């Protein structure tokens, strides 16, 4: 199994990156949160990976953090959840927020991801309750929930979920911003792209 890769970013597409490793260009499917961290072709990229093996082919999925890969692997173990839905959840929720949503049975928060309805969110809670790592109160939860609230606000203003997720991924991670400040910065980021 391929656990991680390190190479040079050749191209960035809507749902994947092309990473040159040795003499090979690897197509690595990534969530929006990871894709938006790497934007400059020619820059170095390090990803934690999961090699998905099916009868019709091999697909490589990449993540900027090991916790994201662990969450992805947990998700694809749930019946009815494929890699596409797992990436959609990772694009909207960080791992600690996802684990907290499962522990608190927050179906509405889980259902905010594209392709995840209340029925599937309920199945996620049912199958993963007790299997997710414990998350200490106050760790990354407020930021993750605020991020989903920012997503909801941007979509409510008419932006597509993909554009909104891309703007949210560009928000500063190391600052403790209010909800209003996050929305303002995301709107500025979207305005620069027009």
């Amino acid at each position: 199994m391929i656990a991680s890769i390190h190479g040079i970013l050749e191209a960035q597409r809507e749902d994947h990156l092309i990473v040159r490793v040795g003499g090979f260009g690897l197509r690595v499917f990534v969530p929006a949160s990871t894709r938006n961290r790497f934007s400059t072709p020619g820059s170095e990229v390090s990803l934690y990976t999961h090699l998905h093996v099916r009868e019709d082919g091999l697909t490589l999925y990449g993540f900027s953090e090991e916790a994201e890969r662990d969450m992805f692997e947990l998700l694809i173990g749930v019946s009815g959840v494929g890699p596409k839905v797992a990436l959609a959840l990772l694009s909207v929720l960080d791992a600690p927020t996802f684990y907290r949503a499962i522990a608190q049975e927050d179906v509405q928060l889980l259902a905010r991801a594209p392709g995840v309805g209340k029925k599937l969110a309920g199945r996620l809670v049912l199958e993963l309750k007790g299997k997710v790592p414990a998350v200490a109160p106050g760790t990354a939860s407020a930021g993750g929930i605020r991020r989903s609230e920012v997503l909801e606000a941007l979509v409510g203003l008419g932006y597509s979920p993909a554009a909104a997720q891309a703007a949210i991924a560009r928000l500063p991670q190391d600052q403790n911003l209010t909800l209003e400040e996050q929305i303002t910065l995301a709107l500025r980021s979207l305005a620069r792209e027009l």
Side-chain angles (χ1 to χ4, degrees):
M1 179 189 276
I2 302 170
S4 65
I5 63 169
H6 181 83
I8 304 297
L9 178 65
E10 283 196 343
Q12 180 187 47
R13 304 287 186 256
E14 186 175 330
D15 61 349
H16 66 275
L17 304 173
I18 304 295
V19 181
R20 171 115 356 237
V21 178
F24 298 96
L26 301 176
R27 182 185 321 179
V28 185
F29 291 89
V30 295
S33 55
T34 297
R35 185 185 68 242
N36 293 316
R37 290 185 183 164
F38 306 108
S39 59
T40 309
S43 61
E44 287 191 19
V45 175
S46 289
L47 297 170
Y48 295 96
T49 58
H50 171 84
L51 180 62
H52 194 69
V53 180
R54 291 182 13 189
E55 288 180 13
D56 58 350
L58 304 172
T59 309
L60 193 60
Y61 294 91
F63 312 92
S64 57
E65 298 176 14
E66 202 168 4
E68 290 178 340
R69 181 187 60 196
D70 295 344
M71 177 180 154
F72 176 83
E73 291 174 344
L74 186 68
L75 281 166
I76 62 173
V78 174
S79 70
V81 177
K84 187 174 183 178
V85 171
L87 287 180
L89 277 160
L90 276 160
S91 294
V92 175
L93 302 172
D94 62 6
T97 303
F98 171 76
Y99 296 147
R100 185 168 282 103
I102 294 295
Q104 296 174 349
E105 300 182 20
D106 191 345
V107 172
Q108 289 192 340
L109 180 60
L110 295 170
R112 290 182 181 176
V116 179
K118 290 192 177 188
K119 185 177 178 181
L120 180 55
R123 186 178 326 128
L124 287 170
V125 169
L126 182 67
E127 290 194 32
L128 296 178
K129 183 109 174 152
K131 294 182 182 177
V132 298
V135 180
T139 59
S141 163
I145 291 172
R146 282 199 189 123
R147 302 274 167 145
S148 64
E149 291 172 359
V150 173
L151 175 68
E152 190 174 320
L154 295 175
V155 170
L157 290 171
Y159 293 98
S160 72
Q165 290 169 3
I168 290 167
R170 289 189 293 270
L171 291 174
Q173 302 287 327
D174 57 345
Q175 297 177 12
N176 194 7
L177 301 172
T178 66
L179 178 61
E180 292 77 18
E181 290 170 333
Q182 289 184 55
I183 293 171
T184 301
L185 288 173
L187 286 170
R188 286 182 186 156
S189 175
L190 288 164
R192 282 193 295 267
E193 291 185 356
L194 296 178

